[in-house]
Amino acid sequence: MILILLGPPGAGKGTQAKVLAQKLKVPHISTGDLLRQNVKENTSFGVEAKKYMEKGELVPDKLVNDMLKNRMGEPDTKDGFILDGYPRNIAQAEILDKMFGKADGVHVVYLQTSEPVVIQRLSGRRVCSNCGANFHIKNMPPKNDGTCDICGGKLYQRTDDQENTIKKRLDVYLKETSSLVDYYEKQDKLFRISADDEPEIVISMILDLVKSGRR
Ligand code: AP5
């Protein structure tokens, strides 16, 4: 099973993917997380990617594709995986199609939401520097300010969650990524979900759709 989570920044792809990975027992592969790990470790990938990420632009396809192919080659992906943040444009989607296009069990869940919701979510997001768990200062506050409920790690605000960069990321989403909705609809692989409900409701809708195959 390959589950692709599609949607604008802040739609809840990462939040949902973490829970879905546990429930469906397949790994969560986030290109954003992989890139941030490379930035943190100061690898050559990371040094190059950082220039684009901090401006809210897409990292060049070649770099992201190579990184993703490496990750998909690891043994834990043999029964499938959840993709969060990939594909981001038609060229990336065509690469996936070449690899898995004809396979059964490729589902694309489109998390629909609006710009005001995205801005509220991203500007209040806090992430654990240790385990990567997501929180929100109002929507999903940690029990203790600035501390991860799961591992006790320190919470931080992503550098691309500043207002100007959020707006740029939304522009990039509209220009580069939103056409994937049509792309996958034409392939009859797209499930639409409202991402504005409580996370537990969104999760159960995704699980229901994936398991029953309804659109
Ligand atoms: P990436 O990390 O993929 O960022 P993104 O797509 O902009 O998505 P986000 O992680 O910001 O949002 P999300 O939908 O996961 O929301 P979340 O669950 O955290 O990419 C970052 C950068 O890397 C890109 O700008 C680009 O430079 C580069 N990059 C990555 N992939 C690339 C690719 N394939 N090609 C080229 N470049 C690439 O939720 C957000 C907040 O809302 C959280 O605080 C959460 O607690 C809260 N929340 C979530 N769900 C709910 C809910 N239902 N109700 C209330 N609050 C909620």
Side-chain angles (χ1 to χ4, degrees):
M1 189 215 59
I2 298 169
L3 177 59
I4 298 170
L5 295 184
L6 183 65
K13 303 181 294 296
T15 302
Q16 303 300 339
K18 285 183 178 68
V19 181
L20 288 166
Q22 284 177 353
K23 293 198 184 280
L24 299 171
K25 299 189 179 18
V26 289
H28 163 209
I29 302 181
S30 154
T31 44
D33 287 349
L34 291 172
L35 288 164
R36 279 183 291 278
Q37 189 63 29
N38 275 278
V39 171
K40 194 171 164 188
E41 291 168 3
N42 215 22
T43 65
S44 54
F45 263 7
V47 171
E48 185 58 18
K50 190 177 176 198
K51 296 182 212 159
Y52 299 90
M53 294 171 79
E54 59 193 13
K55 286 190 272 183
E57 292 171 1
L58 293 187
V59 173
D61 286 348
K62 166 93 177 79
L63 201 156
V64 179
N65 294 338
D66 287 351
M67 185 187 71
L68 186 71
K69 278 182 192 162
N70 281 341
R71 177 63 186 91
M72 288 194 303
E74 287 178 25
D76 64 341
T77 62
K78 70 176 175 28
D79 295 328
F81 46 85
I82 298 168
L83 276 180
D84 156 16
Y86 190 100
R88 278 298 232 276
N89 56 31
I90 302 284
Q92 293 183 5
E94 286 173 347
I95 290 203
L96 274 188
D97 277 353
K98 274 192 200 135
M99 296 166 87
F100 307 107
K102 303 275 182 281
D104 284 338
V106 178
H107 303 293
V108 183
V109 170
Y110 171 38
L111 295 170
Q112 287 180 294
T113 186
S114 61
E115 186 168 326
V117 172
V118 162
I119 292 173
Q120 190 272 353
R121 286 187 183 174
L122 293 183
S123 52
R125 171 166 58 187
R126 299 293 181 269
V127 183
C128 176
S129 54
N130 183 44
C131 72
N134 261 330
F135 295 87
H136 187 282
I137 51 174
K138 290 213 174 82
N139 309 355
M140 301 181 207
K143 289 191 188 90
N144 297 309
D145 250 8
T147 305
C148 176
D149 291 354
I150 298 162
C151 72
K154 201 170 169 221
L155 303 185
Y156 75 101
Q157 184 169 28
R158 271 171 48 175
T159 49
D160 60 352
D161 280 348
Q162 306 298 328
E163 200 176 331
N164 284 346
T165 321
I166 293 173
K167 290 211 165 114
K168 172 71 184 175
R169 286 162 61 203
L170 277 169
D171 288 348
V172 170
Y173 172 79
L174 289 175
K175 201 164 143 238
E176 308 259 353
T177 312
S178 59
S179 55
L180 290 174
V181 172
D182 250 19
Y183 181 90
Y184 283 119
E185 203 140 54
K186 283 187 185 135
Q187 294 190 7
D188 204 24
K189 287 179 184 155
L190 195 85
F191 299 88
R192 290 170 183 266
I193 295 265
S194 164
D196 291 352
D197 289 312
E198 295 293 314
E200 296 73 20
I201 296 175
V202 179
I203 277 288
S204 67
M205 285 193 291
I206 298 175
L207 285 171
D208 181 39
L209 286 175
V210 169
K211 283 177 182 164
S212 68
R214 275 189 285 120
R215 282 173 182 78

